[in-house]
Each structure stands twice: as C-alpha cells, then as structure tokens.
Amino acid sequence: MKRLSILLALGALSVALGSCDDPIASKEYSLQELHYKEGVLTTSQTFDFTRWIEVGKGSYRLPSIAVDEDAKNTYWASASNQGYTLLSSSPTDFPVVPLEVNGEAQGAVIRSIKGFYFFGFGTNVIAGALYTGQVDTKHLVAKPLESTLFGQPYSSGLPELVDFTYQYKAGEKVIHGQDKQVELPSEDRASVSAVFYEVTDDASYLNGQTLQTDPRIVAKGYVELAPTTPAGEWQSYRLHLQPVDEARYAAVDMAKKKYRLALVFSSSFRGAEYIGAVGSELRLQQVTIKDRVKSNH
C-alpha cells in the first residue's frame, strides 16, 4: 500500500510538471527525470554539451539545451566570449568552444587565452567562463564584472548536488593581465560555483562582484580544481550546495517565491581579477544537478 501511494504521488507530480504553462519552467521540466530513492523524491537535470548554437551569424557558439532555443536568449552564456569579440578585430579562437571528437561536439572546452591590453583597456589574459545566465553588453567594457548576469529560473526543487565530469590542465605561467604588481598564485586552478538565490522585486541578477556575497543567496557550493593526473584522464566531482542561512533555507517556497540557480565554470579561478595563465583549460563532458523536492505543506 505504501509503495502504491508513492507511485501515485510520483504520477501526480509528473502530470503537474507536464501541464505547466510557464515556457521557462516547461523547458526546465523537459530536462528532468524523476527518481525515488531512500524515501526522498528528487529530480535530476543533465547537460551533456552535445548540441551547440551559433550566437549571431559568423560569431561564437554556446551550448544549447533545446532544438528551438533562441540564439539571442540562451540558457548558457559567456561574457568572456562576448568580450573577446570586442578585443579582437577578427576573433576566431574563443575562450569557450565545443569539445569535438571526430567532428561532433562531445563536451565543452573552457580556456584562458591570450588577450589584448593597451592604454588601460582590456587584459593580456582572458579567463574563459561558461555560466547559466546572460551578458549585459552595455556594461561589458566599462564594468566587466557587472556584465555577468548569473542564474536562470529554477523551480523544480532545492538543488543539493552538482555532479560533473572534467579534465583540467594549468597554463605554464600565471600573470596579471593588466600588469599590476600583485602577489600571484604559483599555479593556476579552475573554479566551479553553484549558487541558488531568491529573486527579489527588482529581479536583479548576481554578478561578478556579488556571486558569493549577496544576501539573497539561499545555498551555494564552490570548489577550485587542480590539474588532473594523469594528464588527459577524465575525473568526476560532486559539489555540495550548503545552506547559507538555515532559516532562509527552511523557508524556501517554490509556490510563492521565485529563484535562480547560477552555475559558473572558469578556467582560471582568479580570472575576475585579471589573473590567470594562458593555456589553462577546463574540459566538461557532463553536468548533472540533483535536487531535493521541497514540500510546501
């Protein structure tokens, strides 16, 4: 009888998700699979980076989550790719590109590349970053950290885990891209952030200045990745999102409030400070978000 009740509950939830009228939520749910394990109803959402979309004719490509995705409003974004188009007169070698095997996309490559720095403009190292969200192009040049709008709508449940498969190699020499005399790390590392936050009335986004510190953050996880050994071997990592404030975490209400989840992958962990090593490269083959569905009762 208990098992039957569980199955009926799963069926009812599947119908509810499938009948959602919100197109963004519908896109979310189309990526999900339902599981029942150890008495906890969870959802999982996986990105394999095998489909890419061209962002503007003759421009760069980004991972796509649906065949009908709008190239002007993609789920994944890269301010580093967009910035590179401004720094280079003939951009060809972007920081974020598909990982191709026999001519087919099998993942994503996120890399720190040589940039351009002149008259206080630009940087000699562009740290690659791939994230869920948008690029605010009007701030890209004058306020680059504020141009990264992190997060996409998230309503399936409380994200608890982000599993991903990766390779990482560090470039030879860490530099400051604007030639400032600061203490530099001896070796570059990649970074991965997962931040779940509440959307307030102004609907503003977290950005490069507020990603780890904004008071609206409900839960977050962060890791720095050293070079994988042996070179070329794929490794798996499980990133846990921890509550920032237990009371706010307990008060999460998907029915009454809106939330976003920001996933941010960077090839140089201090790239926001213009610090990194040309040649650092983070490769991703699969990213899976696992949620705990929160009851509103």
Side-chain angles (χ1 to χ4, degrees), residues 64-297:
S64 174
I65 65 170
V67 293
D68 60 345
E69 189 164 10
D70 183 357
K72 295 181 180 180
N73 185 28
T74 53
Y75 190 87
W76 291 95
S78 176
S80 50
N81 271 17
Q82 185 69 28
Y84 182 61
T85 64
L86 301 177
L87 292 174
S88 175
S89 59
S90 55
T92 56
D93 198 21
F94 290 96
V96 177
V97 295
L99 171 62
E100 294 189 342
V101 179
N102 297 324
E104 294 185 0
Q106 299 293 325
V109 181
I110 304 162
R111 54 197 180 182
S112 297
I113 66 171
K114 181 175 174 55
F116 310 88
Y117 181 61
F118 46 89
F119 300 109
F121 174 78
T123 171
N124 282 321
V125 57
I126 301 174
L130 178 66
Y131 58 88
T132 59
Q134 302 176 24
V135 180
D136 183 355
T137 54
K138 67 178 180 293
H139 285 141
L140 190 56
V141 175
K143 300 177 180 179
L145 293 182
E146 294 181 23
S147 73
T148 50
L149 306 182
F150 294 129
Q152 289 286 6
Y154 209 80
S155 58
S156 62
L158 279 165
E160 290 188 321
L161 303 170
V162 178
D163 293 336
F164 57 92
T165 305
Y166 75 101
Q167 295 174 348
Y168 182 67
K169 68 175 183 179
E172 292 185 5
K173 183 181 180 181
V174 178
I175 64 171
H176 192 290
Q178 295 184 338
D179 299 327
K180 293 182 179 179
Q181 299 302 308
V182 298
E183 185 175 354
L184 300 172
S186 59
E187 183 179 58
D188 207 359
R189 295 190 293 275
S191 66
V192 180
S193 294
V195 181
F196 180 64
Y197 68 98
E198 183 179 336
V199 180
T200 47
D201 291 341
D202 63 0
S204 61
Y205 286 79
L206 302 190
N207 58 43
Q209 292 182 323
T210 62
L211 180 63
Q212 301 295 336
T213 59
D214 195 282
R216 295 171 295 167
I217 296 173
V218 177
K220 65 179 181 178
Y222 175 79
V223 64
E224 294 170 3
L225 303 172
T228 49
T229 54
E233 184 170 300
W234 290 94
Q235 294 188 13
S236 296
Y237 191 89
R238 169 162 285 183
L239 180 64
H240 292 257
L241 280 79
Q242 303 292 344
V244 172
D245 182 281
E246 292 290 349
R248 186 184 299 117
Y249 189 81
V252 167
D253 189 334
M254 299 293 177
K256 296 180 179 179
K257 299 179 181 179
K258 294 182 179 180
Y259 300 87
R260 294 191 187 112
L261 177 64
L263 300 179
V264 185
F265 297 89
S266 177
S267 53
S268 293
F269 74 114
R270 293 181 64 183
E273 304 170 68
Y274 305 108
I275 294 173
V278 174
S280 292
E281 185 175 285
L282 173 63
R283 295 183 168 198
L284 295 174
Q285 271 198 326
Q286 184 167 288
V287 175
T288 299
I289 309 164
K290 295 185 177 179
D291 305 339
R292 177 184 295 268
V293 173
K294 181 176 175 60
S295 171
N296 289 316
H297 301 292

Side-chain angles (χ1 to χ4, degrees), residues 30-43:
S30 68
L31 297 169
Q32 296 168 357
E33 297 175 75
L34 295 177
H35 303 280
Y36 188 80
K37 184 177 180 182
E38 298 176 353
V40 177
L41 180 65
T42 64
T43 58

Side-chain angles (χ1 to χ4, degrees), residues 23-24 26-28 30-31 46-54 62-71 73-76:
I24 295 177
S26 296
K27 187 173 288 186
E28 275 185 20
S30 68
L31 297 169
T46 298
F47 306 94
D48 59 13
F49 308 112
T50 57
R51 181 190 293 115
W52 289 67
I53 187 171
E54 190 174 83
L62 289 172
S64 174
I65 65 170
V67 293
D68 60 345
E69 189 164 10
D70 183 357
N73 185 28
T74 53
Y75 190 87
W76 291 95

